[in-house]
């Protein structure tokens, strides 16, 4: 059995979050509100809940935002150190870059944009029981063609790291969480960008290191796209995805303190209403992520979309599968569909964009 207090947690949060633009123009992806809390809070709470005490955040893009929010980690029962990359080092370089801040002989490394229900204690115990140099958390997915696959043998040893293929030999994929012996991390080349998935792991296999897989079927979602961000937030609200950080009663909606929802507004599908937001009567929000300070007009419909801080959505506007940047103003009766993205501060006049011919 592994004592979690003798394990370091390393979280890679240096990415620019380009797939979630324009929301990430003002904040790093792990700091975007997810079920009303910065996304990283959910992961940090899981780490603390597992008994791990020391965390190193590997940062780069807008690095100061993380320390301003979490400080020394004491509010979460953690001890947090920060390492800033002067230039992006990729997933492998980011891991190598934190070695001077590690305190223990075992480290569990997390991609900072994954929402997961993995049992961290069971993962650590599996790593110890197999005497592994590295253990990867692997999840089974229904359609592995969109991912690189990681086959394992009957002893749970990883046999290959395969790129995307139309005929994958396994449904097991890399879940973005790894347990390393510190001595293995110390062998990763420093001072240059490299990928843990494409360079470090295949190199470890080639050199004869014992790389194992820990396979489970718990909740897992990469939160890197607007579609997955919306789904993940809704799953947290509805209790489908676990998070020790959430104390509200799970259900179809989560309305935060200071928000105003008028009679006749319908909130379903795991919708989140941020602090100080105002939702007018007759509005229908289904799976919507509404950041703080947003105003939604009467009769507006917002489905599976993210509305950034302080944005305004006019009466009878329709936003479906869209992303609206901070402070944008969407005029009455506008229709924004199928992946539309509006940059911060942009104003679209009443009826300015339509997919249907009637007003």
């Amino acid at each position: 059995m592994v004592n979690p207090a003798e394990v370091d947690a390393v979280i890679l949060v240096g990415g620019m979050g380009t797939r979630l633009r324009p929301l990430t123009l003002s904040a790093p992806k792990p700091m975007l509100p997810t079920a009303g809390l910065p996304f990283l809070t959910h992961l940090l709470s899981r780490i603390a809940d597992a008994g791990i005490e020391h965390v190193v955040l590997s940062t780069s893009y807008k690095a100061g935002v993380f320390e301003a929010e979490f400080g020394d980690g004491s509010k979460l029962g953690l001890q947090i150190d920060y390492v800033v990359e002067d230039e992006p080092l990729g997933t492998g370089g980011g891991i190598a870059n934190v070695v001077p801040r590690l305190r223990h002989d075992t480290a569990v490394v997390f991609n900072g944009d994954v929402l997961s229900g993995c049992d961290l204690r069971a993962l650590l115990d599996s790593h110890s029981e197999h005497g592994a140099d590295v253990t990867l958390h692997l999840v089974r997915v229904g359609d592995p063609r969109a991912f690189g696959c990681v086959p394992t043998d009957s002893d749970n040893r990883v046999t290959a790291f395969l790129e995307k293929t139309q005929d994958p030999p396994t449904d097991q994929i890399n879940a973005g969480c790894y347990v390393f012996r510190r001595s293995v991390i110390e062998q990763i080349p420093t001072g240059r960008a490299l990928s843990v998935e494409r360079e470090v792991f295949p190199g470890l296999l080639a050199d004869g290191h014992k790389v194992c897989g820990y396979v489970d079927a718990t909740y897992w979602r990469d939160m890197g796209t607007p579609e997955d961000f919306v789904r993940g937030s809704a799953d947290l609200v509805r209790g489908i995805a676990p998070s020790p950080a959430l104390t509200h009663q799970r259900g179809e909606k989560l309305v935060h303190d200071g928000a105003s929802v008028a009679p006749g507004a319908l909130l379903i599908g795991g919708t989140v209403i941020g602090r100080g937001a105002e939702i007018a009567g007759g509005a229908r929000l289904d799976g919507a992520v509404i950041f703080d300070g947003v105003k939604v007009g009467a009769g507006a419909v917002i489905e599976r979309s993210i509305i950034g801080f302080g944005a305004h959505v006019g009466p009878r506007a329709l936003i479906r599968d869209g992303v609206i940047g901070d402070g944008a103003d969407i005029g009455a009766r506008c229709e924004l569909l199928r992946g539309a993205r509006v940059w911060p501060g942009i104003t679209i006049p009443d009826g300015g964009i339509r997919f249907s011919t009637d007003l």
Side-chain angles (χ1 to χ4, degrees):
M1 299 289 286
V2 177
N3 179 2
E6 297 177 356
V7 174
D8 295 298
V10 176
I11 308 178
L12 306 177
V13 290
M16 297 182 68
T18 53
R19 292 180 296 169
L20 278 173
R21 285 180 179 168
L23 301 173
T24 49
L25 295 175
S26 60
K29 176 170 54 177
M31 296 303 294
L32 293 176
T34 315
L37 297 170
F39 175 75
L40 192 57
T41 303
H42 299 291
L43 176 53
L44 289 170
S45 69
R46 287 184 52 236
I47 290 169
D49 198 52
I52 298 172
E53 298 174 355
H54 180 235
V55 178
V56 183
L57 293 186
S58 176
T59 69
S60 177
Y61 177 63
K62 296 187 179 295
V65 174
F66 296 96
E67 189 164 4
E69 174 68 25
F70 298 112
D72 64 3
S74 57
K75 291 182 179 178
L76 294 169
L78 297 168
Q79 303 161 33
I80 300 180
D81 285 326
Y82 300 86
V83 175
V84 180
E85 300 173 6
D86 295 327
E87 53 187 57
L89 294 173
T91 49
I95 295 170
N97 197 46
V98 307
V99 166
R101 296 298 182 95
L102 298 180
R103 301 178 182 176
H104 306 293
D105 292 330
T106 302
V108 56
V109 178
F110 300 86
N111 287 350
D113 57 359
V114 170
L115 181 61
S116 170
C118 176
D119 183 333
L120 298 180
R121 285 179 178 257
L123 172 64
L124 290 168
D125 288 342
S126 175
H127 175 76
S128 175
E129 289 163 5
H130 287 89
D133 295 312
V134 180
T135 300
L136 286 77
H137 176 212
L138 306 177
V139 293
R140 294 189 172 96
V141 295
D143 184 2
R145 292 176 299 175
F147 305 91
C149 293
V150 185
T152 52
D153 64 17
S154 57
D155 294 322
N156 295 319
R157 291 191 70 155
V158 172
T159 58
F161 291 91
L162 305 176
E163 296 294 330
K164 296 176 185 177
T165 173
Q166 288 302 302
D167 188 24
T170 178
D171 59 357
Q172 297 173 179
I173 67 166
N174 176 358
C177 176
Y178 326 111
V179 184
F180 279 87
R181 292 184 190 268
R182 177 177 177 152
S183 59
V184 174
I185 295 178
E186 290 171 341
Q187 297 174 35
I188 300 174
T190 59
R192 68 178 180 90
L194 74 162
S195 165
V196 72
E197 301 87 355
R198 295 182 178 86
E199 298 174 74
V200 174
F201 288 150
L204 292 174
L205 274 188
D207 291 343
H209 285 84
K210 188 172 186 179
V211 181
C212 292
Y214 171 79
V215 185
D216 70 9
T218 57
Y219 184 94
W220 179 85
R221 184 172 296 278
D222 179 336
M223 299 284 277
T225 67
E227 177 184 5
D228 281 311
F229 188 90
V230 166
R231 285 282 301 275
S233 178
D235 287 348
L236 284 166
V237 171
R238 300 169 82 178
I240 297 170
S243 172
L246 293 177
T247 58
H248 72 280
Q249 183 176 356
R250 307 302 178 91
E252 288 298 294
K253 64 181 182 295
L254 173 58
V255 179
H256 282 281
D257 294 341
S260 172
V261 179
L266 178 63
L267 312 179
I268 58 175
T271 287
V272 181
I273 307 299
R275 296 160 184 82
E278 299 177 12
I279 312 299
R284 182 181 185 275
L285 279 62
D286 185 353
V289 181
I290 307 298
F291 287 6
D292 296 354
V294 170
K295 292 181 171 57
V296 176
V301 175
I302 303 174
E303 298 176 351
R304 302 181 301 276
S305 298
I306 311 166
I307 313 299
F309 293 104
H312 179 268
V313 178
R316 294 172 53 204
L318 169 62
I319 301 174
R320 181 178 295 143
D321 303 310
V323 179
I324 309 302
D326 299 347
D329 191 339
I330 310 302
R333 304 181 307 283
C334 284
E335 295 177 341
L336 300 174
L337 309 177
R338 294 187 290 275
R341 302 188 189 215
V342 178
W343 251 236
I346 295 296
T347 295
I348 300 177
D350 294 352
I353 295 180
R354 302 280 296 174
F355 279 74
S356 55
T357 56
D358 62 310
L359 289 175

